[in-house]
């Protein structure tokens, strides 16, 4: 079936370190892919998205590239800040199911 | 103006009680959702409405009943509350199922 697998957290980094959060998916057809971020005490908000193979989504210094050959959508940031501490969710939408499937979330802690 | 709002933000109640959570969106979206997030941050879709019509009804106890009086509102009523219902409940909306979702701030339900 369709699914999203994220790397388990928590991920703990020092400020200005490089971030990668892995996300792989299983889906039929050509799903749309998303990264959402949830800051403490808040709801999820869209961070970036990509709708077709080789698309790169980017926002606030974060990037992710839709790789169909490896069925991946890894999230990267070159230099994290303390304010990036949050839970990050990878998600996909596939037309056949009419719903978005979320990964389990990866908690990121950034230390000053 | 808040895009997706939920009331109340916190709800503490005893087992066996009946409670409701309200959700309103002012984005003009045609699709609304209810999610349950557990203590490990795992997000589970419960219901989805498109133009006031129920399109997703996941395996949720029938003690949970959504109601959509119009496209801008989706309420969640829960009967005979149980300890396991304690969680954060998020409302979300989108313009069509395939596009990004906008989440409310969440309602933290505690059943004692």
């Amino acid at each position: 079936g369709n699914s999203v697998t994220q790397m388990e957290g928590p991920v703990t980094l020092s400020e200005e370190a490089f971030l990668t959060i892995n996300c792989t998916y299983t889906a039929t057809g050509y799903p749309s892919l998303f990264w959402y971020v949830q800051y403490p005490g808040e709801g999820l908000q869209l961070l970036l998205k990509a709708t077709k193979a080789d698309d790169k989504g980017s926002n606030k210094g974060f990037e992710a590239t839709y790789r169909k050959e490896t069925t991946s959508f890894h999230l990267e940031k070159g230099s994290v800040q303390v304010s990036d501490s949050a839970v990050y969710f990878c998600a996909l939408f596939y037309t056949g199911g009419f719903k978005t499937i979320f990964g389990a979330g990866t908690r990121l802690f950034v230390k000053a | 103006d808040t895009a997706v709002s939920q009331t109340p933000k916190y709800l503490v109640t005893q087992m066996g009680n009946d409670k409701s959570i309200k959700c309103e969106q002012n984005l003009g979206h045609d699709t609304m959702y209810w999610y349950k997030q557990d203590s490990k941050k795992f997000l589970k879709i419960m219901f989805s409405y498109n133009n006031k019509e129920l399109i997703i009804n996941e395996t949720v106890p029938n003690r949970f009943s959504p109601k959509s009086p119009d496209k801008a509102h989706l309420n969640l009523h829960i009967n005979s509350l149980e300890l396991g219902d304690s969680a954060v409940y998020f409302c979300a909306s989108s313009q069509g199922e395939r596009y990004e979702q906008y989440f409310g701030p969440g309602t933290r339900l505690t059943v004692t």
Side-chain angles (χ1 to χ4, degrees), chain A residues 2-4 25-34 49-55 66-68 71-73 91-96 99-101, chain B residues 98:
Chain A
N2 298 280
S3 64
V4 175
Y25 67 90
T26 303
T28 53
Y30 299 89
S32 296
L33 301 174
F34 306 86
K49 66 178 181 181
T51 57
K52 60 184 189 299
D54 300 325
D55 265 3
Y66 189 142
R67 303 274 188 213
K68 190 154 178 66
T71 61
S72 65
F73 192 54
L92 72 82
F93 174 86
Y94 67 105
T95 307
K99 66 179 180 182
T100 298
I101 295 175
Chain B
R98 74 173 303 122

Side-chain angles (χ1 to χ4, degrees), chain A residues 67-102:
Chain A
R67 303 274 188 213
K68 190 154 178 66
E69 63 276 11
T70 54
T71 61
S72 65
F73 192 54
H74 303 321
L75 182 68
E76 296 181 335
K77 187 176 185 183
S79 176
V80 293
Q81 305 300 312
V82 172
S83 57
D84 293 327
S85 297
V87 181
Y88 293 82
F89 292 88
C90 185
L92 72 82
F93 174 86
Y94 67 105
T95 307
F98 300 102
K99 66 179 180 182
T100 298
I101 295 175
F102 287 86

Side-chain angles (χ1 to χ4, degrees), chain A residues 31-45:
Chain A
S32 296
L33 301 174
F34 306 86
W35 275 102
Y36 285 83
V37 59
Q38 184 179 24
Y39 298 104
E42 298 182 11
L44 281 71
Q45 54 186 276

Side-chain angles (χ1 to χ4, degrees), chain B residues 20-90:
Chain B
S20 291
I21 306 172
K22 295 187 176 182
C23 177
E24 177 181 1
Q25 55 96 2
N26 62 7
L27 297 166
H29 288 165
D30 60 5
T31 307
M32 296 185 73
Y33 313 80
W34 277 111
Y35 289 89
K36 179 180 180 181
Q37 186 175 50
D38 63 23
S39 58
K40 295 187 177 178
K41 299 297 185 183
F42 184 74
L43 201 63
K44 177 187 172 183
I45 189 165
M46 302 172 69
F47 303 103
S48 170
Y49 272 73
N50 179 271
N51 285 314
K52 301 192 326 177
E53 196 174 318
L54 182 66
I55 55 171
I56 293 176
N57 184 353
E58 293 291 290
T59 310
V60 175
N62 57 16
R63 297 181 295 104
F64 290 80
S65 53
K67 279 194 173 51
S68 182
D70 55 56
K71 277 175 29 173
H73 295 85
L74 180 61
N75 304 322
L76 183 66
H77 188 75
I78 316 170
N79 289 326
S80 304
L81 278 154
E82 300 178 357
L83 293 176
D85 297 333
S86 295
V88 181
Y89 291 84
F90 287 101

